[in-house]
């Protein structure tokens, strides 16, 4: 089961540490320490599966060498109690493969540290614990001074802020959970304390190799065992504590998951055996049978009850017909849409009737590009005409943004809604229609809370999802069970792509026939190969630029798997515009991810939700004017926004984006850089964003 661990500490001379020795140990290398004139050799250390130094744009290439980097740090720091480096350590979910874990760590380190201007020495360890299971984690040693082409400058005090560490802790949880969800893995982590999660256990101190070498008298080790022993007794007295904690992160689990949790929260074999026996014999442990891999799976009675509450709430909503619209409102909406050039297809019309003229629980399932959002936009017009209030919700900010952009329904994240409800604000009412997009990504507990709130308020609920989400084994279990029990309408006719063969390819992608879809694009000369990654980038940008010049009115986006590639592609794309004199004068902005040059005409991506500004994480626009203090942007939805860069600095160039951020985006032309990590799910998303062509 996925566990949350994220810690930060400072490597300092006052504690007898050496930056060079620390780097040698974490990378399992032999490095010479110039200051001490001795070598630190840890080449016998096992378990290091990835090691690299990641440089911000301003850093000189010589610092990409680990030995040169940390010897220069030691040379720069003169005080005998100097702070040499900040170390971040975080646990990687063992549900991921090594390659997936490395990519997860690299993406996070790049976006949160390197793009902020730090040099990051990343080492991913895939150790095997005493229980024989993998203990994947990452050590990240960070520079503490600003860096330019001449080397290190002043210490950056802002990097020491406590609130920044807190933000990193939360962002790591968000980063992991988004990746797990995109890979259809039924596991989640939570950055909050055990107390905040409602788990009645004491947090345990982490014990590393130094404490173990100090022997059983080490204070830290004594405290660790004391807390573990106390937690073990709590589990023995009330095994529901363990079941509740495990199901916070996953709906179902195996005997191994139980044993791992108990092992982490008990002290010694005798207590472990008693605690494990207590959990396995608990009347609240529910056996579900064997899964496809032959593992016996379990859940908790509390989880069963949560799912029962989902069923009760959904059944009560489904019985009501308080929101059944009369013909006038519906005909008005259809006529308004037709006047604007939108005529619903037969399937779209059936879905429109289902959500507006049917019961108070509507369920719509459709492939990417079938026009679900367009249909919901017409439904919104009907609901508003009838005097109803329409709200949208989705799991992620970009999904909420896309729902709002495609349908006109004001939308926000479910977490934001729940937070407001907890404060007694923006509560649902009996005149509200709540539209939830990507419903298959929502876990059972969260689905239960939302449906229960809607039922108690007398609101209407419309759940919208993808056929792949109906097929999800566990991540979409709540949505799937509701759809199976109460029925749903399907929209299968692909409308986004203009060519029949491309619509067929999207259908193949949606149903897992990825090879057939790729073959079709290959036959139409839309699949291109190159000898190297650099050559592939160059060829992609050349094609993108040719199309940009030939069809300047067409919308387009570049997509790839990692933030590293996004950054490289943004630089290349911007270079083409600069060559064509399509950009104004550069203005350097101290953005959240590091210093960036922006100019009039630049494509811009917003990286954080801001309700006052009216942007979300993933919003795109074009820079209209820019100075060192202020920027004005024309958003792609036609709105103009302006802001002071000291108040909102979460911006970057927007020519390229990760595939994850593009879900829900529609453009005329897409350009995709396929790299390792592009799987069936991300291929479906990347190759279904376009209307006309994808390269």
């Amino acid at each position: 089961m996925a566990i949350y661990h994220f810690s930060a500490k400072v490597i300092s001379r006052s504690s007898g540490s050496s930056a060079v020795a620390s780097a040698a140990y974490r990378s399992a290398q032999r490095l010479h320490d110039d200051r001490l004139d001795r070598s630190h050799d840890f080449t016998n250390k096992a378990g290091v599966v990835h090691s690299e130094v990641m440089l911000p744009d301003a850093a000189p290439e010589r610092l990409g060498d680990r030995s040169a980097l940390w010897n220069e740090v030691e040379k720069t720091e003169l005080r005998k109690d100097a702070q040499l480096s900040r170390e971040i350590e975080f646990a990687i979910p063992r549900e991921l493969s090594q390659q997936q874990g490395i990519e997860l760590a690299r993406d996070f380190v790049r976006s949160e540290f390197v793009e902020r201007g730090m040099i990051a020495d990343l080492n991913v360890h895939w150790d095997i614990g005493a229980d024989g299971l993998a203990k994947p984690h990452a050590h990240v040693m960070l520079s503490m001074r600003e860096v330019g082409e001449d080397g290190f400058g002043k210490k950056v005090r802002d990097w020491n802020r406590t609130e920044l560490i807190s933000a990193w802790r939360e962002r790591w949880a968000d980063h992991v959970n988004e990746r797990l969800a995109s890979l259809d893995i039924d596991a989640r982590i939570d950055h909050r304390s055990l107390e905040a999660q409602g788990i009645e256990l004491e947090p345990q101190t982490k014990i590393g190799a130094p404490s173990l070498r100090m022997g059983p008298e080490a204070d830290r080790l004594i405290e660790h065992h004391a807390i573990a022993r106390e937690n073990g007794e709590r589990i023995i007295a009330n095994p529901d504590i363990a079941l509740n904690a495990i199901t916070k992160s996953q709906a179902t689990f195996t005997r191994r998951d139980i044993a791992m949790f108990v092992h982490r929260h008990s002290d010694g074999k005798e207590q472990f055996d008693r605690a494990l026996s207590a959990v396995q014999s608990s009347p609240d442990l529910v056996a579900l049978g064997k899964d496809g891999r032959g593992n016996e799976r379990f859940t908790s009675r509390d989880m069963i009850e949560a799912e029962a509450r989902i069923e009760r709430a959904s059944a009560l909503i489904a019985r009501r017909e308080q929101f059944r619209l009369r013909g006038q409102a519906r005909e008005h909406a259809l006529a308004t849409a037709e006047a604007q050039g939108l005529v619903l297809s037969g399937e779209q019309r059936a879905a429109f009737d289902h959500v507006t003229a049917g019961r108070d629980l509507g369920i719509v399932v459709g492939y990417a590009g079938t026009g679900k959002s367009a249909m919901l936009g017409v439904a919104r017009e009907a609901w508003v005409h009838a005097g109803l209030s329409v709200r949208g919700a989705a799991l992620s900010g970009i999904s909420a943004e896309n729902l709002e952009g495609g349908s006109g329904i004001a939308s926000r994240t479910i977490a934001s809604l729940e937070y407001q409800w907890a404060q007694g604000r923006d509560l649902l009412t009996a005149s509200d229609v709540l539209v939830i997009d990507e419903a298959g990504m929502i876990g059972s507990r969260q689905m239960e809370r939302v449906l229960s709130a809607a039922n108690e308020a007398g609101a209407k609920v419309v759940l919208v999802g993808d056929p792949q989400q109906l097929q999800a084994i566990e991540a979409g279990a709540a949505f799937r069970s509701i759809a199976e029990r109460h029925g749903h309408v399907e929209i299968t006719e692909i409308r986004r792509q203009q060519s029949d063969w491309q619509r067929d390819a999207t259908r193949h992608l949606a149903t897992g026939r990825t090879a057939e879809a790729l073959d079709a694009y290959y036959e139409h000369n839309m699949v291109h190969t190159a000898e190297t990654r650099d050559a592939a980038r160059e060829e992609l940008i050349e094609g993108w630029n040719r199309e940009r010049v030939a069809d300047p009115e067409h919308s387009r986006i570049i997509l790839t798997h990692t933030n590293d590639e996004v950054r490289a592609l943004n630089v290349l794309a911007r270079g083409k515009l600069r060559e064509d004199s399509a950009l104004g004068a550069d203005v350097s902005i101290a953005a959240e991810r590091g210093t960036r040059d922006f100019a009039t005409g630049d494509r811009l991506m917003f990286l954080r939700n801001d309700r006052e500004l009216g942007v979300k994480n993933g919003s795109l626009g074009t820079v209209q004017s820019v100075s060192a203090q202020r920027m004005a942007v024309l958003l792609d939805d036609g709105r103009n926004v302006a802001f002071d860069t000291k108040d909102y600095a979460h911006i970057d160039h927007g020519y390229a984006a990760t595939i994850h951020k593009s879900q829900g985006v529609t453009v005329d032309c897409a350009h995709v850089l396929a790299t390792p990590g592009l799987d069936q799910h991300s291929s479906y998303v990347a190759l279904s964003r376009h209307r006309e062509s994808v390269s």
Side-chain angles (χ1 to χ4, degrees):
M1 56 181 290
I3 62 171
Y4 180 86
H5 170 71
F6 188 103
S7 64
K9 69 177 184 181
V10 171
I11 297 173
S12 172
R13 280 201 194 118
S14 63
S15 60
S17 296
S18 155
V20 179
S22 298
Y25 179 76
R26 285 150 183 80
S27 62
Q29 290 185 345
R30 184 179 188 275
L31 300 179
H32 185 77
D33 191 326
D34 295 342
R35 185 176 70 90
L36 300 176
D37 193 23
R38 57 169 292 193
S39 292
H40 307 284
D41 190 350
F42 294 99
T43 51
N44 288 331
K45 178 176 169 57
V48 181
V49 297
H50 180 80
S51 184
E52 70 171 310
V53 174
M54 302 171 70
L55 299 177
D57 293 340
E61 289 187 10
R62 72 174 186 277
L63 296 183
D65 178 84
R66 180 170 286 109
S67 179
L69 166 63
W70 297 114
N71 272 300
E72 187 158 333
V73 166
E74 289 281 3
K75 182 180 178 181
T76 303
E77 303 296 346
L78 303 178
R79 295 167 57 101
K80 64 181 180 180
D81 61 348
Q83 293 184 339
L84 305 170
S85 169
R86 177 174 292 100
E87 181 182 29
I88 304 293
E89 181 182 340
F90 50 79
I92 296 171
R94 56 163 51 94
E95 287 84 354
L96 301 180
S97 68
Q98 280 193 13
Q99 185 59 40
Q100 290 170 336
I102 292 167
E103 289 174 1
L104 180 80
R106 293 187 79 249
D107 289 349
F108 180 76
V109 170
R110 170 66 66 184
S111 63
E112 294 298 333
F113 307 131
V114 179
E115 304 235 353
R116 203 178 292 269
M118 305 176 197
I119 299 176
D121 187 349
L122 168 66
N123 292 281
V124 177
H125 294 192
W126 219 270
D127 300 335
I128 303 299
D131 56 4
L133 299 177
K135 295 172 58 179
H137 59 282
H139 294 270
V140 189
M141 288 179 60
L142 301 169
S143 60
M144 304 182 74
R145 292 179 176 270
E146 62 184 23
V147 62
E149 59 183 19
D150 295 327
F152 290 111
K154 297 178 181 179
K155 282 274 178 79
V156 183
R157 304 301 176 190
D158 277 353
W159 295 345
N160 290 327
R161 289 182 292 122
T162 303
E163 56 266 31
L164 186 57
I165 302 294
S166 298
W168 284 335
R169 286 177 55 80
E170 182 173 355
R171 288 175 198 169
W172 172 244
D174 292 342
H175 183 73
V176 170
N177 289 335
E178 284 184 2
R179 189 64 54 87
L180 290 172
S182 71
L183 295 171
D184 285 339
I185 295 173
D186 176 37
R188 299 294 181 267
I189 62 174
D190 197 317
H191 72 284
R192 297 175 299 168
S193 66
L194 295 176
E195 181 181 7
Q197 296 178 57
I199 298 174
E200 300 172 24
L201 295 174
E202 288 294 320
Q204 291 170 221
T205 54
K206 181 182 180 295
I207 298 300
S211 293
L212 292 174
R213 285 196 296 269
M214 291 171 68
E217 299 305 315
D219 290 344
R220 190 177 177 88
L221 200 58
I222 292 171
E223 181 186 10
H224 174 85
H225 286 298
I227 294 173
R229 194 158 48 250
E230 176 62 26
N231 283 340
E233 291 303 316
R234 291 182 182 185
I235 292 171
I236 292 167
N238 181 11
D240 285 357
I241 293 174
L243 297 177
N244 176 50
I246 294 171
T247 53
K248 290 283 186 184
S249 62
Q250 56 199 84
T252 69
F253 48 88
T254 64
R255 290 189 186 277
R256 171 173 280 187
D257 292 328
I258 299 173
M260 287 165 52
F261 181 86
V262 172
H263 182 266
R264 196 160 63 248
H265 297 288
S266 62
D267 183 38
K269 184 178 185 306
E270 187 273 333
Q271 190 186 55
F272 167 80
D273 289 341
R274 287 195 296 132
L276 183 62
S277 176
V279 176
Q280 291 183 334
S281 61
S282 169
D284 292 322
L285 181 69
V286 180
L288 300 174
K290 293 185 177 181
D291 61 18
R293 298 180 179 178
N295 297 317
E296 190 172 6
R297 299 200 75 85
F298 301 86
T299 190
S300 68
R301 195 168 301 281
D302 180 66
M303 181 59 72
I304 294 290
E305 290 173 356
E307 292 174 351
R309 289 192 295 272
I310 289 176
E311 172 47 30
R312 283 196 297 272
S314 61
L316 289 169
I317 298 171
R319 287 196 196 114
R320 298 196 310 255
E321 295 185 358
Q322 301 299 315
F323 288 77
R324 181 186 289 275
L325 299 186
R326 299 186 182 278
Q328 182 181 2
R330 297 169 57 244
E331 292 304 323
H332 163 81
L334 291 167
T336 300
E338 190 169 345
Q340 296 172 350
L342 173 61
V343 178
L344 298 184
S345 69
E347 287 184 330
Q348 285 177 310
R349 177 59 190 267
F352 170 79
D353 291 341
H354 172 75
V355 299
T356 58
R359 299 172 299 175
D360 288 359
L361 179 65
I363 304 168
V364 179
V365 175
Y367 300 130
T370 53
K372 299 189 296 292
S373 294
M375 179 278 297
L376 289 170
V378 182
R380 183 197 64 83
E381 181 69 28
W383 287 320
V384 171
H385 186 77
L388 301 172
S389 174
V390 188
R391 308 190 196 189
L395 199 61
S396 67
I398 187 59
S399 297
E401 165 86 1
N402 293 328
L403 173 60
E404 183 168 332
S407 67
I409 299 171
S411 304
R412 59 201 304 181
T413 64
I414 295 175
S416 173
L417 281 180
E418 288 198 278
Y419 177 78
Q420 294 296 324
W421 296 345
Q423 307 301 312
R425 298 195 296 264
D426 291 342
L427 298 174
L428 291 173
T429 71
S431 61
D432 280 329
V433 178
L434 179 62
V435 178
I436 302 176
D437 199 11
E438 292 193 349
M441 304 295 284
I442 301 171
S444 295
R445 293 180 189 274
Q446 194 167 43
M447 182 73 83
E448 183 268 319
R449 293 194 298 269
V450 172
L451 291 183
S452 293
N455 178 53
E456 291 170 9
K460 179 183 177 71
V461 176
V462 176
L463 302 176
V464 183
D466 189 286
Q468 278 199 334
Q469 294 172 351
L470 284 181
Q471 297 163 10
I473 293 172
E474 277 129 3
F479 177 56
R480 186 179 69 247
S481 65
I482 294 170
E484 289 174 349
R485 190 174 296 268
H486 299 290
H488 60 277
V489 293
E490 290 192 4
I491 308 179
T492 60
E493 181 185 350
I494 309 294
R495 294 169 66 86
R496 181 179 293 156
Q497 283 76 48
Q498 296 179 356
S499 302
D500 288 342
W501 71 267
Q502 290 187 3
R503 289 193 285 268
D504 289 340
T506 298
R507 197 170 292 108
H508 292 332
L509 290 164
T511 54
R513 293 179 288 172
T514 309
E516 293 181 51
L518 290 173
D519 285 345
Y521 282 112
Y522 188 82
E523 289 171 6
H524 287 81
N525 299 315
M526 293 188 183
V527 178
H528 312 282
T529 60
E531 291 298 320
T532 66
R533 183 81 64 90
D534 288 343
R537 285 196 209 100
E538 294 284 352
E539 185 176 339
L540 183 149
I541 292 298
E542 288 294 337
W544 170 86
N545 195 50
R546 282 195 302 272
E547 288 189 7
R548 180 189 66 82
V549 173
D551 297 300
E553 299 304 315
H554 279 191
S555 60
R556 53 185 48 83
I557 196 167
I558 300 168
L559 299 175
T560 189
H561 184 59
T562 68
N563 284 316
D564 283 354
E565 290 295 349
V566 167
R567 178 72 182 131
L569 291 164
N570 270 330
V571 170
L572 290 173
R574 196 170 186 273
K576 291 296 181 183
L577 269 72
R578 179 60 69 199
E579 288 176 10
D580 292 347
S581 301
L583 299 177
D586 279 343
V587 176
S588 291
I589 301 292
E592 182 72 9
R593 291 183 172 180
T595 300
R596 295 284 190 272
D597 288 337
F598 291 103
T600 301
D602 254 326
R603 290 290 287 166
L604 188 84
M605 176 176 281
F606 293 84
L607 303 173
R608 180 167 295 182
N609 299 348
D610 189 301
R611 289 186 61 79
E612 291 186 9
L613 195 57
V615 298
K616 291 187 172 67
N617 182 3
S619 296
L620 289 165
T622 302
V623 176
Q624 301 296 291
S625 65
V626 57
S627 69
Q629 295 79 33
R630 192 162 177 82
M631 185 179 289
V633 179
L634 174 63
L635 297 176
D636 284 1
D637 64 10
R639 292 181 294 123
N640 287 285
V641 297
F643 54 93
D644 290 338
T645 53
K646 64 179 175 55
D647 297 328
Y648 187 96
H650 306 281
I651 51 177
D652 207 339
H653 298 116
Y655 303 99
T658 61
I659 295 168
H660 181 75
K661 278 191 181 295
S662 75
Q663 298 195 58
V665 169
T666 298
V667 292
D668 295 318
C669 308
H671 301 261
V672 182
L673 180 64
T675 62
L678 190 71
D679 58 12
Q680 176 181 316
H681 174 82
S682 52
S683 297
Y684 173 34
V685 175
L687 301 181
S688 61
R689 300 302 95 203
H690 64 285
R691 297 185 187 93
E692 296 185 8
S693 69
V694 57
S695 296

